[in-house]
Amino acid sequence: MIVLQPKVDPAGGRVAGAEALVRWKHPEKGMIPPGQFIPILENSGQIVQLDEFVFEQVCALLKRWQEDGIAPLPISVNLSRHHFKNRNFLGRLRSIADHYEVDPGWIELEITESIFFDESSIERVKTIVHQIHQSGFTCSLDDFGSGYSSLGLLKEFEIDAIKLDRIFFPATLDPRSQVVIEGIVALAKNLKLTIVAEGVESSEQADFLRRIGCDLIQGYYYSPPLMPPAFAELRRKRNQKFES
């Protein structure tokens, strides 16, 4: 099943998007943490089928919102590096979106730094990022800052957003951490990128990010991942004053 973790605009508290995440409820063992099954699927290559399942569930949800008269929100979906071995994977995703009559512009495909191994990988991914935009989707760079080549990637790829990795947000934000985060936010804004901070769990972190102009916050400070009905209710409550 999928759950949605809200992305919140810290300036006003409005829910402005979500990330789709997967959960496995075992009939006997109960809820299995993603950390226990995602690596197994990643190593076997079966993560591709899981990603497509999540993508299709997102399309079905957007279609349901559309039929119920609920305004859509951008939803991001993770892509494993295994997708990049198949030159036609974007055609498959676009056909799913078309089947559900969903505007692909509402879906953001998240790629992670782990897909970059060498110069040939960079050139290959650069082409795919261009094709992602040609297919109508948007694209974000996930786990930004967790790899050694983050700044170099920003100049190479026409991405739409970066997601600051949770390593930037220790329990207490020291002055050096604040300087680094503020510099990245300023750089992202100069590049016309949306910046999302993930893993935010405290009011101190959220207040700091709001002050420096971070676009969106994703983390337990605002909400854990929610089942779609609970997400819709949280969105309704938070966005009432914006949509009235």
Side-chain angles (χ1 to χ4, degrees), residues 198-212:
E198 56 183 343
V200 175
E201 298 185 354
S202 72
S203 58
E204 177 198 13
Q205 295 167 345
D207 290 344
F208 169 70
L209 289 164
R210 176 182 50 77
R211 289 198 305 271
I212 65 173

Side-chain angles (χ1 to χ4, degrees), residues 122-167:
I122 289 176
E123 290 304 313
R124 170 81 178 122
V125 176
K126 188 185 298 186
T127 299
I128 291 176
V129 169
H130 179 67
Q131 292 171 345
I132 285 173
H133 287 125
Q134 284 186 316
S135 299
F137 304 108
T138 59
C139 181
S140 65
L141 183 60
D142 195 13
D143 300 330
F144 182 84
S146 62
Y148 69 90
S149 57
S150 297
L151 292 178
L153 296 178
L154 287 186
K155 73 178 181 64
E156 294 287 349
F157 298 102
E158 299 175 1
I159 54 175
D160 303 289
I162 60 173
K163 297 188 72 177
L164 273 179
D165 190 79
R166 63 184 64 247
I167 64 170

Side-chain angles (χ1 to χ4, degrees), residues 139 154 157-162 185 187-195 215:
C139 181
L154 287 186
F157 298 102
E158 299 175 1
I159 54 175
D160 303 289
I162 60 173
V185 170
L187 176 63
K189 287 188 174 296
N190 285 332
L191 291 172
K192 304 295 188 294
L193 301 175
T194 298
I195 186 158
D215 297 303

Side-chain angles (χ1 to χ4, degrees), residues 14-43:
R14 178 176 60 93
V15 175
E19 178 181 1
L21 302 167
V22 67
R23 295 292 183 264
W24 178 19
K25 189 173 183 180
H26 192 278
E28 297 175 358
K29 299 179 180 180
M31 200 66 72
I32 309 294
Q36 290 187 15
F37 65 89
I38 293 293
I40 297 172
L41 295 176
E42 187 76 45
N43 290 335

